[in-house]
Amino acid sequence: MSPQHGAGSSVAGSSAHGGSLLLGLAATCLLALSLRIPTTSLGPVLPRIGEVTGHGETFLSLLTAIPLALTLVAAPVSPRVARRLGRDRAVGLALAAVAVGVLVRSLPGDVPLVAGTVLLGLGIAVATVLGPATISSARRADRPVLTATYSMSLSVGPALALALTVPLMHVAGLDWAGTLALWSLCVIAAWALWIARTRDLHAARVPEPINGAHDTDASGPTPAVISDPGVWQLALYMGLTSLTFYTTSTWLPTVLVLGGTGTAPAGAAASLVSIAAIPFSFAAPILLRRAGSRLLVLLAPLVALAGIVLLVVTGSSAPIAIAVLLGISQGLCLGISYDRVVQYARSPDHAAAVSALTFTVGIALAALGPLLFGAALEATRSTLVPLCGLGATVLLQGIIGLCSRALRPS
């Protein structure tokens, strides 16, 4: 082969890889957006749904609780689904289920409302568990930027949904159902890009396996995964990240209002948490590969502790600073959690099994956090006790990050 021919082949191969990486980044971004927007877009229109349907808060709360509950059910079996159907095909079918569920949820009547919520919840649960596994199957050099894009988009999704749902309803002249249905366009675009990405991967050569190992037969959280202390350390770190996010999302506006902040500024501060998290969730997987990054896993939760201490000390007189600190911590912890799952796994199948366990633990803790915070707030009639409890939680997360070998950058 001539030097010119070899150089031409190298350039062509590099160009083809660049195109595949761009397609993978776009598909990964829209996948992550589709895991957040269908559920978080519901919050801004819940009052309107209650007015139109006549249902009370208990029924409306089920619409947000069902997807979380289904994750507990679907997470353990998602690796088995991926094993039978293929990882990429399973994610594609899950995205299709989310898109159909969003549309069904928007049809008139209580039955479509609940049925659509169940369908989209199942799709989100499966895709959430398998997302890190699909990143694990990519080229080793591509995994950091794919993980960064994935974790960043998980922060972008809630910010977009919370900021744009009500304006979309007014601009488009739609009711709550039509507005929620409009978000299905994002999921449909994600599904189309995912199909294109899957075909592109099949046309290319098989990527290098993780740590030089081939996929192993994993039908779920296997005994080896369940008995692995490192997996449980990852699960607790991710679970406490979810607990902090859902607790602050639920109760930060209330705490600020009790401290004297107006309703609108308190809601804006809560939205700022997700916005501030965006750049840091992207940066975390990349920063973990820098020299001296070991302390990042410890310091990330402690930034939230600083925000909680500021909230206790100043009350609601510094809502922007509090929201920014909480957002920085949330973004860093989110990026670290997903990156460590990808890096800890020995193969894509092992990543799916690890992801299944970490998400099961994560969702359980996420559901527990707001409940305990609210119970403490009601019992003590003071924000001090629940805030101290939340501060102790993020301190514990920092200690887990300091002591865990599984969370240390390699």
Side-chain angles (χ1 to χ4, degrees), residues 11-86:
V11 171
S14 177
S15 177
H17 171 247
S20 296
L21 178 57
L22 287 176
L23 179 59
L25 289 171
T28 299
C29 174
L30 284 179
L31 168 65
L33 292 178
S34 299
L35 300 180
R36 291 291 184 264
I37 288 177
T39 52
T40 52
S41 61
L42 193 68
V45 296
L46 273 180
R48 182 59 181 162
I49 296 175
E51 292 175 8
V52 173
T53 63
H55 292 300
E57 286 76 8
T58 301
F59 178 86
L60 296 177
S61 65
L62 287 175
L63 300 180
T64 59
I66 285 174
L68 287 176
L70 287 174
T71 300
L72 293 174
V73 176
V77 300
S78 294
R80 183 176 303 169
V81 173
R83 188 70 185 175
R84 292 191 176 185
L85 300 179

Side-chain angles (χ1 to χ4, degrees), residues 111-151:
V111 173
L113 182 60
V114 175
T117 300
V118 169
L119 184 58
L120 71 87
L122 286 172
I124 288 173
V126 172
T128 296
V129 170
L130 299 182
T134 64
I135 295 173
S136 297
S137 66
R139 294 172 183 263
R140 186 183 302 276
D142 295 342
R143 291 171 200 158
V145 69
L146 286 170
T147 306
T149 300
Y150 185 76
S151 58

Side-chain angles (χ1 to χ4, degrees), residues 253-296:
T254 300
V255 171
L256 291 175
V257 168
L258 290 174
T261 303
T263 303
S271 300
L272 182 59
V273 174
S274 293
I275 296 172
I278 292 171
F280 294 94
S281 56
F282 181 86
I286 298 172
L287 291 175
L288 285 171
R289 284 151 183 82
R290 304 277 182 175
S293 61
R294 176 173 291 185
L295 286 178
L296 183 65

Side-chain angles (χ1 to χ4, degrees), residues 187-223:
V187 187
I188 293 171
W191 174 80
L193 274 179
W194 195 261
I195 296 299
R197 170 196 172 276
T198 301
R199 291 177 178 175
D200 180 72
L201 288 177
H202 288 171
R205 67 182 180 88
V206 177
E208 58 178 309
I210 298 179
N211 299 333
H214 293 284
D215 283 7
T216 56
D217 186 4
S219 58
T222 60

